[in-house]
């Protein structure tokens, strides 16, 4: 077995029981998923306007952060949830896999994270300074950077079913010194040791089905309980996520499991991370990405996007336009803040017009309209014409669901469809709600705006028009109309975390 970290690089490995093994499909698939995995790794790394002085860049590292346990639990134990936006000391992925080659199957796990690196600028007397300008006009700023780390293990499935495997996934301490031109000073980069380990086990559920568990934990010594978060980050794993593949196995979607596997899928316990199928939809479960940011199955980076802006929640076109409008002084500070900020500015400043035009948008979900079975007796004007919305009244209109007319005041149970549902809406499955209005979209579809019965802020949401939106086929009428104090049904296991959703627009179809 070979174990070790390549200092200054990003790889460590641990492989046994698979001597002379040929290259695996999962290894190549990992590389195909690299764009999405890198987007997770660097999400929020540095936000527009990409300057050190910006307030939003003074509180960083918000996803998948694993601190030493004693520090993060100094005020009480962590509360598990599927979202990795809460600080923790561990991360646990559970998923289902079908065994396609009994006795010859293997599992490949790659854990990726960032190790914090303190970039300290020093003058000619080696005294720390906040900034320093060299004779050529270049400004160097003291700032926190990060180094990507990845540790990989390949294990026969039979071993995981028997004893499991635990491997170290930490990173060594280090110091790098970079002299500045003409003896103007130097830049010193410090990295503290990060200690962590990943345990991979499997549990057989039937002859051809098992549950895989991957648990990564920070095992390092904790700083003093009242140490500031910025200091504690020096010993943390940041943006931790896991790629899982293998040979002779096929992974099952937990977001949209087959009907016969719905119960075992619900029993999977994912804490501070959530696994989704990776790769293209036709790849049939050969790869999983377990990320602290909730994603749909088969996530992809839009082909129109020319590069990472470290803010996947924003629109590339808007961020690009804003970056173009930075003043020269702001751009100088951003370039001095971090090499990744400098790369963004270089890309924006030299972006060809045709590349920029592609950022305006793309349509990928057009479907042919089924012909009408009978000619309409009274044709409604097109949506852009005057009077197109005549006769529509969202608060009084109704729509038939299972033979029951639903409209304002109707009570329903939420049943988000498995395939194509918004990832956030899945956490509301089984909850009861009241219909506020019925909306007809310009494409002819219908969505119902609802408020949750057990949401203490539902009255406030109604006042300013903030609702959850569902299609009629995602709602189950409650008959009879029900009583106000009828309890909500328990949500699925994955939804037990104290999470809410801001689905303020109708759930979009998955591409």
């Amino acid at each position: 077995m070979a174990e070790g970290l390549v200092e200054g690089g990003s790889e460590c490995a641990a492989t046994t029981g698979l001597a002379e093994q040929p290259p695996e499909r999962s290894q190549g698939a990992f590389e195909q998923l690299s764009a999405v995995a890198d987007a997770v790794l660097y999400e929020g790394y540095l936000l527009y306007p990409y300057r050190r002085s910006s307030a939003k860049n003074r509180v960083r590292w918000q996803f998948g952060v694993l601190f030493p346990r004693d520090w993060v639990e100094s005020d009480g134990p962590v509360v598990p949830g599927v979202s990795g936006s809460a600080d923790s000391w561990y991360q646990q992925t559970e998923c289902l896999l079908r065994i396609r080659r009994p006795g010859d199957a293997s599992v490949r796990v790659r854990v990726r994270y960032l190790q914090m690196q303190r970039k300290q600028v020093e003058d000619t007397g080696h005294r720390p300074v906040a900034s320093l300008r060299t004779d050529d006009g270049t400004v160097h700023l003291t700032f926190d950077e990060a180094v990507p780390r990845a540790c990989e293990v390949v294990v026969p499935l039979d071993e995981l079913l028997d004893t499991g495997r635990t491997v170290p996934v930490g990173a060594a301490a280090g110091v790098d010194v970079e002299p500045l031109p003409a003896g103007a000073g130097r830049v010193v980069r410090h990295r503290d040791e990060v200690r962590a380990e990943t345990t991979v086990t499997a549990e057989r559920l039937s002859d051809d089905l098992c549950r895989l568990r991957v648990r990564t934990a920070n095992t390092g010594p904790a700083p003093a309980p009242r140490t500031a978060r910025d200091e504690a980050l020096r010993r943390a794993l940041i943006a931790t996520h896991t790629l899982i593949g293998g040979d002779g196995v096929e992974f099952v979607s937990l977001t949209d499991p087959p009907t016969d596997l719905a119960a075992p899928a619900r029993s999977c316990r994912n804490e501070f991370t959530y696994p989704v199928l990776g790769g293209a939809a036709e790849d049939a479960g050969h790869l999983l990405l377990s990320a602290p940011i909730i994603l749909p199955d088969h996530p992809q980076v839009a082909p129109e996007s020319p590069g990472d802006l470290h803010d996947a929640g924003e629109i590339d076109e808007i961020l690009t336009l804003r970056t173009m409008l930075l003043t020269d002084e702001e751009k100088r500070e951003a370039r001095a803040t971090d090499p990744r900020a400098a790369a963004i500015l270089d890309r924006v400043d030299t972006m060809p017009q045709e590349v920029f035009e592609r950022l305006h948008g793309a349509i990928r979900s057009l479907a042919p309209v089924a012909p009408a079975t009978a000619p309409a007796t009274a044709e409604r004007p097109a949506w852009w014409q005057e009077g197109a919305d005549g006769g529509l009244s969202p608060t009084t209109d109704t729509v038939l669901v299972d033979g029951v007319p639903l409209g304002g005041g109707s009570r329903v149970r939420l049943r988000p469809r498995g395939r194509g549902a918004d990832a956030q809406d899945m956490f509301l499955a089984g909850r009861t709600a009241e219909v506020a209005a019925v909306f007809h979209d310009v494409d002819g579809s219908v969505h119902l705006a609802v408020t949750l019965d057990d949401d203490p802020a539902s009255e406030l949401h109604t006042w300013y028009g903030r609702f959850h939106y569902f299609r009629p086929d995602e709602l189950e009428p409650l008959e009879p109309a029900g009583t106000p104090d009828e309890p909500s049904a328990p949500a699925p296991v994955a939804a037990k975390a104290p999470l809410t959703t801001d689905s303020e627009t109708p759930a979009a179809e998955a591409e």
Side-chain angles (χ1 to χ4, degrees):
M1 177 172 67
E3 296 184 15
L5 184 72
V6 180
E7 187 58 45
S10 62
E11 297 287 340
C12 68
T15 307
T16 62
L18 298 168
E20 304 298 329
Q21 181 166 313
E24 297 184 12
R25 174 174 52 191
S26 61
Q27 187 172 16
F30 282 179
E31 308 314 318
Q32 295 172 13
L33 196 59
S34 62
V36 175
D38 285 347
V40 172
L41 187 66
Y42 287 103
E43 176 65 11
Y45 174 83
L46 196 64
L47 299 177
Y48 170 88
Y50 307 113
R51 305 192 315 268
R52 182 185 68 172
S53 59
S54 173
K56 65 173 70 174
N57 287 320
R58 297 175 189 172
V59 181
R60 303 166 69 199
W61 325 121
Q62 300 299 317
F63 300 100
V65 182
L66 308 185
F67 289 98
R69 182 173 187 176
D70 289 346
W71 183 87
V72 78
E73 292 192 332
S74 59
D75 292 326
V78 297
V79 179
V82 295
S83 172
S85 59
D87 293 340
S88 178
W89 59 273
Y90 74 96
Q91 193 179 79
Q92 176 176 294
T93 298
E94 285 192 352
C95 59
L96 301 178
L97 60 83
R98 300 180 189 269
I99 306 171
R100 296 309 190 193
R101 293 208 312 263
D104 187 36
S106 63
V107 173
R108 178 183 295 270
V109 175
R110 181 182 294 178
V111 178
R112 305 174 81 232
Y113 61 93
L114 296 175
Q115 178 188 17
M116 181 174 161
Q117 177 172 266
R118 176 70 173 173
K119 181 182 73 173
Q120 178 64 61
V121 178
E122 298 180 352
D123 62 15
T124 53
H126 296 175
R127 292 180 295 268
V129 294
S131 65
L132 191 114
R133 185 186 297 269
T134 55
D135 292 341
D136 61 1
T138 303
V139 176
H140 300 269
L141 300 179
T142 292
F143 195 65
D144 289 335
E145 302 173 333
V147 179
R149 301 299 189 193
C151 298
E152 189 167 301
V153 60
V154 182
V155 193
L157 181 59
D158 287 345
E159 178 182 339
L160 298 180
L161 290 167
D162 184 19
T163 60
R165 174 81 67 84
T166 298
V167 295
V169 294
V175 178
D176 298 326
V177 179
E178 175 192 352
L180 296 179
R186 64 180 189 174
V187 175
V188 182
R189 292 176 167 87
H190 296 265
R191 296 178 300 278
D192 285 5
E193 180 186 15
V194 175
R195 298 183 190 176
E197 62 183 25
T198 294
T199 298
V200 188
T201 58
E203 171 191 2
R204 189 179 294 276
L205 302 180
S206 65
D207 289 344
D208 64 346
L209 182 72
C210 68
R211 178 183 294 112
L212 183 73
R213 173 185 290 179
V214 180
R215 185 181 177 95
T216 298
N218 188 319
T219 58
R226 298 304 170 190
T227 299
R229 187 177 187 273
D230 285 349
E231 289 298 317
L233 281 165
R234 297 173 183 271
R235 304 182 189 180
L237 292 78
I238 300 169
T240 313
H241 59 283
T242 307
L243 302 177
I244 309 174
D247 271 1
V249 298
E250 179 181 315
F251 297 96
V252 176
S253 169
L254 298 189
T255 303
D256 184 21
T259 303
D260 59 324
L261 297 181
R266 284 195 300 269
S267 68
C268 289
R269 297 292 188 269
N270 288 285
E271 299 175 355
F272 304 104
T273 187
Y274 192 78
V276 297
L277 296 179
E282 59 269 18
D283 286 345
H286 299 313
L287 182 65
L288 276 185
L289 169 61
S290 186
I293 302 170
I294 298 173
L295 300 169
D297 280 337
H298 310 293
Q300 295 182 357
V301 173
E304 294 80 13
S305 180
D308 199 351
L309 294 169
H310 307 319
D311 191 352
E314 189 53 274
I315 299 171
D316 278 21
E317 183 183 31
I318 293 176
L319 278 182
T320 300
L321 284 169
R322 288 176 173 174
T323 304
M324 287 178 174
L325 294 175
L326 291 175
T327 66
D328 290 343
E329 182 58 33
E330 288 174 323
K331 289 184 178 182
R332 278 192 292 270
E333 182 186 348
R335 291 181 186 279
T337 295
D338 191 274
R340 291 186 173 274
I344 290 173
L345 292 173
D346 289 342
R347 186 170 67 244
V348 168
D349 287 346
T350 60
M351 184 177 294
Q353 182 64 26
E354 61 271 19
V355 174
F356 179 76
E357 289 175 353
R358 289 202 299 268
L359 299 181
H360 190 62
I363 298 176
R364 281 186 265 271
S365 57
L366 289 179
V369 178
T373 56
T377 55
E379 189 171 335
R380 182 182 296 279
W383 63 267
W384 64 84
Q385 295 176 334
E386 184 177 357
D389 56 354
L392 297 180
S393 175
T395 57
T396 59
D397 285 351
T398 61
V399 60
L400 281 179
V401 177
D402 296 335
V404 179
L406 296 182
S410 300
R411 298 197 58 254
V412 296
R413 194 177 303 280
L414 307 181
R415 302 294 189 194
R417 61 192 184 282
R419 187 178 302 278
D422 185 280
Q424 300 294 336
D425 289 344
M426 296 299 292
F427 299 114
L428 303 180
R431 306 269 283 276
T432 58
E434 180 176 321
V435 177
V438 177
F439 291 98
H440 296 263
D441 296 341
V442 297
D443 62 0
S445 61
V446 177
H447 285 85
L448 288 84
V450 304
T451 57
L452 299 176
D453 287 347
D454 56 1
D455 185 351
S458 61
E459 188 173 327
L460 178 63
H461 293 331
T462 301
W463 177 75
Y464 59 72
R466 183 179 185 181
F467 303 108
H468 300 282
Y469 293 87
F470 291 88
R471 287 171 44 166
D473 61 356
E474 297 179 299
L475 301 178
E476 173 189 324
L478 293 179
E479 293 183 323
T483 59
D485 51 350
E486 178 180 345
S488 290
V493 171
K496 288 185 178 177
L499 298 174
T500 59
T501 179
D502 291 336
S503 40
E504 301 178 51
T505 56
E509 292 288 348
E511 295 182 7

